[in-house]
Amino acid sequence: MGARVRRALAGVRWYVRELTGEAAYDRYVAAHAGADHTPLTRAQWWRARDDAREHTAHESCC
């Protein structure tokens, strides 16, 4: 029973991280791990992501 509960909780954790976007930042950092520059901080990344979404939202209107 304990293993089933742990798997269920791991699934819930995965789902929440995907839903909130936390996993996307982790994928961004992993993709830039071998780069010769430092990746954006979490706050910078969220700001850039929100700015990009806001910018593309205006372009696709009407």
Side-chain angles (χ1 to χ4, degrees):
M1 171 118 173
R4 258 193 266 174
V5 170
R6 277 189 296 254
R7 275 196 310 267
L9 289 176
V12 169
R13 181 178 183 269
W14 173 87
Y15 182 76
V16 169
R17 285 178 46 76
E18 290 293 332
L19 188 64
T20 61
E22 287 295 318
Y25 177 74
D26 292 340
R27 285 190 294 271
Y28 162 77
V29 170
H32 288 84
D36 57 348
H37 63 279
T38 58
L40 298 174
T41 65
R42 188 176 300 270
Q44 291 169 329
W45 183 83
W46 278 105
R47 193 172 306 116
R49 178 180 160 175
D50 289 344
D51 289 347
R53 283 185 174 181
E54 184 177 316
H55 180 68
T56 58
H58 296 293
E59 291 177 353
S60 62
C61 181
C62 309

